Amino acid sequence: MDRQAMSPFRYTHAIVCRIPDSYKTAALGLSEPVDLAKARKQHEMYVAALREIGLDVIELPADEKHPDCLFVEDVAVVCNGTALLTRPGHPNRKNETEYMRTILKNELELPVIEIEDKKATLDGGDVLFTGKEFFVGLSSRTNQAGACALASAFPEFPCTPIKVEKSLHLKTVLTMAGPDVICVGNTPDAQSILKRIEREATFRYQTVTVPDMHAANVVFANGVLLHRSAEEYPESAKIFEEKLSLWNLKPVTFSELEKANGSLTCCSILIRKTRHLKNIM
């Protein structure tokens, strides 16, 4: 794989957020009791994996007022050196953008775009960037006005809305597993969404289908694929080893974060920041 094809998936920084105590009892979508110590350990291993692939990781402190603050992906979309602050679709999460604005502007010195349409809702978990174009899930958290705001923020890329009915976010069912490679679950809903994407896409993508829905959410960065571990999803892990072994595979265990609809992509914002001359002199 040449470097040019890889370039949309080369990153320098990642933003993550530590897990608050309130996550254990008040996170949205909790499906079963959470072992908080175990959740934090899994998150620490995830952050360590991001550092191992060469990312400068900015760790935000836990925010007890926002139990879902660890799911940072939902509050900003960063592409081509520009950040779009989202308007999260759940009212409990709307204020999470305040702190993120400061980090993006002051820490990373990125230009930040804000959504002016008060009726717009947009969760980063509904935004799939393929390296060539955007797909935006129209879900319970993201509406058409939110999709339009994304298209306006990044006019250099095609932006296609895709209806998502049975899943929380678009990236709950599919993610990028390499340049031009989409990883997707094998449920009827996931396959239906994939068909819609293939119909609307400006480019043709390869697909890798895994039997476990939660395993379809992967992180591809700097030639490394973070995926769910064989301990959790052995059949899916086997497929990654068989079909995507050209990448450095890094298995991650995420059971305690999955209990609140957490996934690998939603716990980080990946950023490629061009180094200024002053930083290398």
Side-chain angles (χ1 to χ4, degrees):
M1 182 65 65
D2 65 49
R3 181 165 289 190
Q4 192 171 355
M6 282 273 294
S7 62
F9 302 98
R10 288 211 172 274
Y11 304 98
T12 57
H13 293 71
I15 301 174
V16 302
C17 183
R18 294 187 185 126
I19 302 176
D21 292 343
S22 58
Y23 170 77
K24 182 173 182 176
T25 54
L28 299 170
L30 274 177
S31 57
E32 53 185 299
V34 168
D35 181 331
L36 196 57
K38 191 174 176 184
R40 284 181 171 141
K41 185 66 180 170
Q42 290 177 353
H43 190 263
E44 283 168 17
M45 297 304 289
Y46 171 82
V47 173
L50 295 177
R51 287 201 168 100
E52 283 165 17
I53 63 177
L55 298 173
D56 184 351
V57 179
I58 298 170
E59 283 193 75
L60 307 185
D63 180 355
E64 292 300 338
K65 292 179 187 170
H66 295 100
D68 290 80
C69 62
L70 67 154
F71 304 133
V72 289
E73 175 187 54
D74 288 325
V75 298
V77 176
V78 180
C79 183
N80 268 7
T82 297
L84 172 68
L85 272 186
T86 66
R87 290 178 62 83
H90 196 287
N92 289 12
R93 302 199 64 194
K94 287 198 183 298
N95 292 334
E96 288 181 38
T97 56
E98 296 300 319
Y99 196 61
M100 188 58 69
R101 180 189 293 109
T102 304
I103 297 300
L104 293 168
K105 279 186 175 178
N106 298 348
E107 286 272 324
L108 288 162
E109 300 176 330
L110 295 175
V112 174
I113 298 171
E114 311 232 9
I115 299 175
E116 293 178 8
D117 186 347
K118 303 296 184 202
K119 294 179 182 174
T121 61
L122 177 69
D123 269 21
D126 277 315
V127 178
L128 179 73
F129 181 59
T130 69
K132 294 180 167 71
E133 60 190 315
F134 283 102
F135 294 98
V136 189
L138 300 182
S139 66
S140 61
R141 301 285 178 87
T142 298
N143 62 18
Q144 185 69 48
C148 289
L150 181 82
S152 297
F154 303 105
E156 65 271 37
F157 296 106
C159 183
T160 306
I162 299 288
K163 189 79 175 159
V164 175
E165 292 169 333
K166 296 180 181 176
S167 302
L168 178 64
H169 288 133
L170 177 63
K171 282 194 283 196
T172 305
V173 300
L174 49 80
T175 49
M176 298 307 293
D180 305 334
V181 180
I182 295 175
C183 180
V184 61
N186 71 349
T187 65
D189 180 49
Q191 291 297 313
S192 171
I193 289 171
L194 175 65
K195 283 188 176 65
R196 270 173 266 162
I197 283 179
E198 288 176 332
R199 265 200 313 271
E200 302 283 345
T202 315
F203 300 88
R204 182 165 295 199
Y205 300 97
Q206 298 174 356
T207 58
V208 172
T209 302
V210 292
D212 305 291
M213 176 54 68
H214 291 291
N217 184 283
V218 298
V219 171
F220 180 72
N222 298 353
V224 178
L225 186 73
L226 271 63
H227 65 85
R228 298 295 291 274
S229 67
E231 171 195 339
E232 295 179 302
Y233 296 113
E235 294 305 311
S236 293
K238 193 184 299 179
I239 288 173
F240 293 130
E241 286 161 15
E242 288 171 1
K243 299 194 173 180
L244 294 169
S245 59
L246 73 161
W247 309 123
N248 178 3
L249 301 178
K250 206 172 264 295
V252 180
T253 302
F254 234 55
S255 57
E256 298 306 305
L257 303 169
E258 182 186 300
K259 289 175 180 177
N261 290 319
S263 57
L264 297 179
T265 61
C266 70
C267 287
S268 60
I269 298 172
L270 302 181
I271 298 157
R272 180 165 80 249
K273 187 167 162 54
T274 308
R275 294 189 188 281
H276 296 299
L277 197 60
K278 65 180 182 183
N279 291 340
I280 56 173
M281 292 293 281

